[in-house]
Amino acid sequence: ATVGDDADPYVQRPQAKTGRFGLAPMILVYGIFATIIGLMDVVTYIGLDEATYVDLVNQMSEISGIDAWTIMPAWTPDMALLMTLSMACLTVSGVLAVACFAMCRKGENWKVSIMLCAASTVMCLGICAFTMFASLGIPLFAIGLVMTVLMFVKKDTFVS
């Protein structure tokens, strides 16, 4: 028999932390899609004017076969700004989610990971600046809240 850690191979040793948060890939997928869609929409909405908006809604009516004016709001002077701000919030939420993924992937700094995930989640409420996008912002906020809580509970998967 030897003296030291290898003396008894049947002794239960504490499991090493894996440094892996299992839901991290979902955070990455959200982050990538939110960033890309947000940026594309910011570029689209930043120069939106009334004539373009009317054409867009009319095209939606033709493509869908229903009167899109029944669900789309009437044009207001601040509509382009609100739509741009909403999608800017989506973009920031996506970037924060990608940063959160990077921290989760390394399994380092649990507190920073939680803060990044929570900040990404709160930015989803900013999507509701344009009320038509509330149907996107509120579910994303709820999902982000669940992910933040799951990350909070899974502290043991982080090394530090």
Side-chain angles (χ1 to χ4, degrees):
T2 61
V3 179
D5 287 338
D6 297 326
D8 189 356
Y10 302 104
V11 171
Q12 182 86 14
R13 290 183 182 81
Q15 282 196 321
K17 294 181 181 180
T18 60
R20 302 280 173 143
F21 179 62
L23 297 174
M26 289 176 56
I27 295 171
L28 178 64
V29 169
Y30 165 74
I32 290 171
F33 281 122
T35 303
I36 291 171
I37 292 169
L39 284 174
M40 287 175 25
D41 286 352
V42 164
V43 170
T44 301
Y45 298 143
I46 205 160
L48 190 67
D49 61 358
E50 185 175 5
T52 308
Y53 179 74
V54 169
D55 287 343
L56 186 73
V57 175
N58 287 335
Q59 286 177 5
M60 286 172 42
S61 295
E62 290 174 17
I63 292 170
S64 65
I66 62 169
D67 184 13
W69 287 108
T70 58
I71 57 172
M72 295 300 290
W75 175 262
T76 59
D78 59 346
M79 186 176 281
L81 175 64
L82 292 174
M83 293 170 88
T84 303
L85 287 175
S86 293
M87 290 300 103
C89 288
L90 180 64
T91 304
V92 170
S93 176
V95 169
L96 290 169
V98 170
C100 177
F101 166 78
M103 296 300 288
C104 289
R105 182 87 166 106
K106 293 179 188 175
E108 295 177 352
N109 214 330
W110 173 75
K111 288 181 184 179
V112 173
S113 298
I114 290 287
M115 285 190 274
L116 286 168
C117 192
S120 176
T121 299
V122 169
M123 288 306 295
C124 290
L125 289 178
I127 297 169
C128 300
F130 181 62
T131 53
M132 278 293 291
F133 296 154
S135 60
L136 173 66
I138 293 171
L140 288 177
F141 174 77
I143 293 167
L145 198 57
V146 168
M147 294 295 282
T148 304
V149 169
L150 287 173
M151 191 180 302
F152 183 80
V153 173
K154 296 288 187 177
K155 181 179 181 179
D156 60 333
T157 61
F158 289 82
V159 177
S160 61

